[in-house]
Amino acid sequence: MFFRNLTLFRFPSSLDVSDLESQLAECALKPVGPLELSSRGFITPLGQHGDQFCQRQDAALWLAIGGEDKLLPGAVVNDLLQKKLASIEEKEGRKPGGRTRKRLKDELITELLPRAFVRPVRTDALMDTQLGVIAVDTSSRKSGESVVSEVRRALGSFPALPLNAEVAPRAILTGWIAGDPMPDGLSLGDECELRDPTDTGAVVKIQRMELSGDEIRKHLEAGKQATRLALVLDDHVSFVIGEDLIVRKFKLLDGAVDQLEASDGDDIVAELNARFALMAGEFKRLFTVLEAAFKLSKAE
């Protein structure tokens, strides 16, 4: 269950989650209705291997939001709509107006929805009640906010907000590439994105390159600033963090994953729980480093 991305939101660490399991169960995923386009709700993180809506590891909680989306291609709807409009024009000798077009399109969608294919979707989230942070496995702020909204619907109140840094993340990232001291355990990776500070300025994307080399230095001397930067934490975690403070390409390295070798591979539940425990521990270490480096504000 290792996450690939981390879109982060802060909430008060005093949040009461003592009834979380029952609250999530009340908002469990329901099958999408015949005339609905989509449905969202909580599912069991362990899937068929568990019946709990929340897996706990000390202060870390693993949640999963499931969904069902109707697949209704716009091209199909528009093709049928054009045929209906052409038929009306032929019979009545006039082109249907905007209201008629909208009504016909709505009728087509209502007619097609019950027969549309359904695509299942899933997004995982990790809540650390001690840190007061929820990490959603997505690189999209909009998708992350949708997950937060589902948690808010279940809890009734969930004052979670995007991260707020007291210093400009772009300045911190640029400084690290330029040679500023980095937090203990953190080192540069081999990827970055450099931008000219003007809105229409050049953008340079660099991959698989030594970031302390002369080429990078020349870009910095020309005034470009880092907007994304690959980093490694203690040879356990590699990731790319942007000035939006979204963590992308999150990956647990051999130094961390080797800890799983002693687990019983035949016990699926034990394996998933072990992976969650490892993920939760590495995430806590990473967030603690980022919190100090970017001076992240706590939620009130």
Side-chain angles (χ1 to χ4, degrees), residues 111-132:
E111 178 185 340
L112 293 172
L113 274 177
R115 293 179 284 149
F117 288 106
V118 176
R119 177 184 62 186
V121 295
R122 168 178 173 150
T123 306
D124 290 273
L126 188 159
M127 286 178 63
D128 190 305
T129 57
Q130 186 178 52
L131 294 175

Side-chain angles (χ1 to χ4, degrees), residues 76-94:
V76 173
V77 175
N78 290 331
D79 181 59
L80 292 174
L81 177 61
Q82 293 305 318
K83 290 178 180 177
K84 283 202 171 191
L85 292 173
S87 177
I88 292 174
E89 184 176 356
E90 182 179 350
K91 289 179 181 179
E92 301 182 5
R94 64 177 181 82

Side-chain angles (χ1 to χ4, degrees), residues 54-107:
C54 174
Q55 294 295 120
R56 294 175 179 263
Q57 180 67 37
D58 297 327
L61 313 175
W62 177 14
L63 318 177
I65 291 81
E68 292 186 352
D69 292 335
K70 291 283 185 68
L71 297 179
L72 200 59
V76 173
V77 175
N78 290 331
D79 181 59
L80 292 174
L81 177 61
Q82 293 305 318
K83 290 178 180 177
K84 283 202 171 191
L85 292 173
S87 177
I88 292 174
E89 184 176 356
E90 182 179 350
K91 289 179 181 179
E92 301 182 5
R94 64 177 181 82
K95 289 187 176 182
R99 288 186 178 181
T100 301
R101 293 173 63 91
K102 184 179 185 307
R103 176 178 58 80
L104 291 174
K105 186 173 184 179
D106 290 343
E107 290 176 355

Side-chain angles (χ1 to χ4, degrees), residues 12 74 89 102 105 134 142 155 160 183 216 218 237 240 243 282 290 298:
E89 184 176 356
K102 184 179 185 307
K105 186 173 184 179
I134 179 170
K142 182 178 179 180
L155 296 181
I216 304 296
K218 290 179 182 179
V237 177
V240 174
E243 63 175 338
E282 295 297 335
L290 297 180
K298 295 185 180 295

